[in-house]
Amino acid sequence: MFLLLPFDSLIVNLLGISLTVLFTLLLVFIIVPAIFGVSFGIRKLYMKTLLKIFAWATLRMERGAKEKNHQLYKPYTNGIIAKDPTSLEEEIKEIRRSGSSKALDNTPEFELSDIFYFCRKGMETIMDDEVTKRFSAEELESWNLLSRTNYNFQYISLRLTVLWGLGVLIRYCFLLPLRIALAFTGISLLVVGTTVVGYLPNGRFKEFMSKHVHLMCYRICVRALTAIITYHDRENRPRNGGICVANHTSPIDVIILASDGYYAMVGQVHGGLMGVIQRAMVKACPHVWFERSEVKDRHLVAKRLTEHVQDKSKLPILIFPEGTCINNTSVMMFKKGSFEIGATVYPVAIKYDPQFGDAFWNSSKYGMVTYLLRMMTSWAIVCSVWYLPPMTREADEDAVQFANRVKSAIARQGGLVDLLCLPGHLDSAHLWVGMTCY
């Protein structure tokens, strides 16, 4: 018979007590509030504390930069880095001064090496246009102790570096395991809960259970990101038989909206874990999933969506008509598909606060797993959501004009730049309607 030594027994008991306390805290402060949709204000207190720390770190960084004569770049209000404009002549003189010991007065007006400077400037102008900027992370005016999110970050002082290191330990050793546990709990409950609800007979009770299972699980997933969301004008929330359209910054936009409303999702059928979740969800709620072979057929997509919105008993469809993620500074061209159906459109504006973590998903740079890891190791996800009054297509409007009018309203409310063009790199399904799920 295997016997535990007194010291080993003590460790096992302490571990058991720790796990029990942790589970109890999760249950009391996170899972139960998520079920009833209430908050104890802990996240807001956490956010206020972080703001004070960020303000101190920024002041310390600016003071250190002044002492060392380092230039600090300030972003525009839309989050794009603003560099002091200089003339071509001044820049060429600066390059010659740094690369030659000759007096500037003796140098000719043009040298053969200047060709390389003009080539570089031309390439920068092409690559750094107004549209391309929207596919890179926005720059912060203040430092949030995440070195990946500030252009000005560099070694300033030992005290600031120690604070940054302490933040790394907190985010990776405490917040990350906690958030992974919450995400696993939320996804597991979503799969199990919707599967069980799917076996109930159709009726009001099934609709009631499905709605609250979805809301509970999405709220738990929101807490897995330490998301602090402020919803405005809730009386304008989307209603059955309509289409909810929103600007698109991140895949978590779906969770942000679904934790405050009950929607039918639109997307392509996937395999793996996503496929398991989709199959479970559709048993409890009439989501609109398309097979890979169907998703490029515009007429079929239009028919399925039209049939859904014509049934006023069905949930509002959630669509992101941009069809791709934009970096939280702008709204790009809306695809016209969802505006041709003839349903009432409920615009929603989403604006993230990048001080606590950058929610933008640069899909060309990060895979989904890497992106989620970055989200779960950020301080928090803070955003505001505005529900705008419902809009309908006017008699003298075509679908494109209607889409532009809705887009302008969203940009205005969210304080975003209203841009018209978008590089054509999406497949035909996304180009026509935009999708909800990935």
Side-chain angles (χ1 to χ4, degrees):
M1 184 175 177
F2 181 74
L3 297 175
L4 291 175
L5 297 175
F7 181 72
D8 295 333
S9 178
L10 178 62
I11 292 178
V12 171
N13 289 335
L14 289 176
L15 183 60
I17 293 172
S18 300
L19 291 175
T20 303
V21 171
L22 178 61
F23 178 76
T24 303
L25 291 175
L26 289 177
L27 187 66
V28 173
F29 290 101
I30 297 178
I31 297 177
V32 172
I35 294 174
F36 295 100
V38 298
S39 175
F40 294 124
I42 298 175
R43 285 174 295 169
K44 289 188 176 180
L45 178 63
Y46 168 70
M47 181 180 70
K48 291 179 181 178
T49 304
L50 285 177
L51 282 174
K52 292 181 180 179
I53 296 175
F54 296 163
W56 175 84
T58 302
L59 289 174
R60 183 69 189 85
M61 188 173 67
E62 290 177 349
R63 189 190 313 158
K66 288 180 181 178
E67 292 173 355
K68 298 181 180 181
N69 294 321
H70 288 159
Q71 184 180 8
L72 291 177
Y73 295 121
K74 292 289 186 179
Y76 294 114
T77 55
N78 60 17
I80 305 300
I81 287 189
K83 298 183 181 180
D84 294 332
T86 56
S87 66
L88 294 178
E89 292 82 358
E90 291 174 347
E91 290 192 22
I92 291 176
K93 287 181 180 179
E94 182 62 31
I95 292 173
R96 292 177 179 177
R97 184 184 296 113
S98 60
S100 175
S101 59
K102 297 180 181 179
L104 290 177
D105 296 336
N106 298 330
T107 57
E109 292 185 3
F110 176 79
E111 291 184 350
L112 188 61
S113 60
D114 294 342
I115 295 175
F116 298 104
Y117 168 77
F118 290 114
C119 290
R120 178 174 63 83
K121 293 298 289 186
M123 291 300 295
E124 286 180 354
T125 302
I126 294 172
M127 298 298 295
D128 202 30
D129 61 85
E130 282 299 310
V131 173
T132 307
K133 288 177 182 177
R134 314 300 163 171
F135 293 92
S136 58
E138 61 180 317
E139 179 64 17
L140 301 181
E141 188 167 353
S142 61
W143 189 36
N144 62 1
L145 302 181
L146 299 174
S147 58
R148 62 190 183 217
T149 57
N150 195 277
Y151 187 89
N152 297 307
F153 174 74
Q154 54 190 305
Y155 176 78
I156 298 295
S157 69
L158 178 61
R159 187 186 305 174
L160 204 57
T161 304
V162 169
L163 182 61
W164 174 81
L166 182 61
V168 171
L169 290 176
I170 293 173
R171 289 186 290 109
Y172 282 87
C173 299
F174 175 70
L175 291 179
L176 179 60
L178 175 64
R179 289 168 175 172
I180 291 176
L182 285 175
F184 178 79
T185 301
I187 294 172
S188 300
L189 288 176
L190 180 64
V191 173
V192 174
T194 51
T195 301
V196 172
V197 170
Y199 289 106
L200 297 176
N202 293 331
R204 291 187 175 180
F205 180 69
K206 180 177 181 178
E207 292 178 4
F208 174 85
M209 290 300 298
S210 176
K211 176 180 180 180
H212 286 84
V213 166
H214 277 85
L215 288 175
M216 175 190 70
C217 296
Y218 283 124
R219 286 167 180 165
I220 293 175
C221 291
V222 159
R223 284 161 170 78
L225 298 169
T226 317
I228 304 165
I229 313 166
T230 304
Y231 297 98
H232 304 272
D233 305 319
R234 280 179 162 173
E235 65 275 9
N236 295 325
R237 279 185 292 188
R239 298 182 181 180
N240 289 0
I243 297 178
C244 173
V245 299
N247 60 297
H248 201 22
T249 301
S250 161
I252 66 173
D253 293 339
V254 178
I255 302 174
I256 297 295
L257 295 178
S259 64
D260 189 54
Y262 190 30
Y263 299 95
M265 309 296 180
V266 179
Q268 180 179 309
V269 173
H270 291 271
L273 176 61
M274 180 63 75
V276 172
I277 296 173
Q278 287 180 318
R279 289 191 293 272
M281 289 172 63
V282 80
K283 292 178 182 178
C285 176
H287 299 290
V288 185
W289 304 136
F290 295 96
E291 296 292 341
R292 183 179 295 273
S293 59
E294 299 173 332
V295 78
K296 293 186 179 182
D297 188 339
R298 297 185 180 185
H299 297 291
L300 177 61
V301 173
K303 180 183 177 182
R304 293 275 302 275
L305 295 182
T306 302
E307 290 174 351
H308 185 99
V309 299
Q310 285 178 346
D311 187 347
K312 301 304 178 183
S313 65
K314 289 188 176 180
L315 300 175
I317 295 175
L318 176 58
I319 289 178
F320 301 101
E322 286 170 300
T324 189
C325 294
I326 311 299
N327 72 350
N328 195 44
T329 65
S330 315
V331 183
M332 291 288 190
M333 180 183 68
F334 277 8
K335 313 304 174 289
K336 66 177 183 177
S338 52
F339 300 92
E340 291 179 330
I341 298 173
T344 301
V345 171
Y346 294 86
V348 176
I350 306 174
K351 178 67 175 177
Y352 291 90
D353 186 344
Q355 290 183 90
F356 304 91
D358 183 18
F360 168 58
W361 180 35
N362 187 343
S363 56
S364 63
K365 188 175 182 181
Y366 303 109
M368 180 61 76
V369 174
T370 304
Y371 169 76
L372 291 176
L373 178 63
R374 288 169 64 86
M375 287 296 93
M376 289 191 171
T377 54
S378 296
W379 292 111
I381 300 298
V382 180
C383 73
S384 295
V385 175
W386 291 271
Y387 297 106
L388 280 66
M391 302 173 70
T392 54
R393 183 172 164 182
E394 297 177 354
D396 58 343
E397 276 186 324
D398 59 24
V400 174
Q401 292 171 330
F402 183 31
N404 287 334
R405 182 159 62 91
V406 173
K407 176 171 69 76
S408 297
I410 291 175
R412 221 170 19 248
Q413 181 63 73
L416 304 166
V417 178
D418 186 0
L419 294 179
L420 296 177
C421 55
L422 175 66
H425 62 278
L426 302 174
D427 60 46
S428 58
H430 284 81
L431 281 171
W432 183 75
V433 68
M435 292 291 179
T436 303
C437 297
Y438 294 80

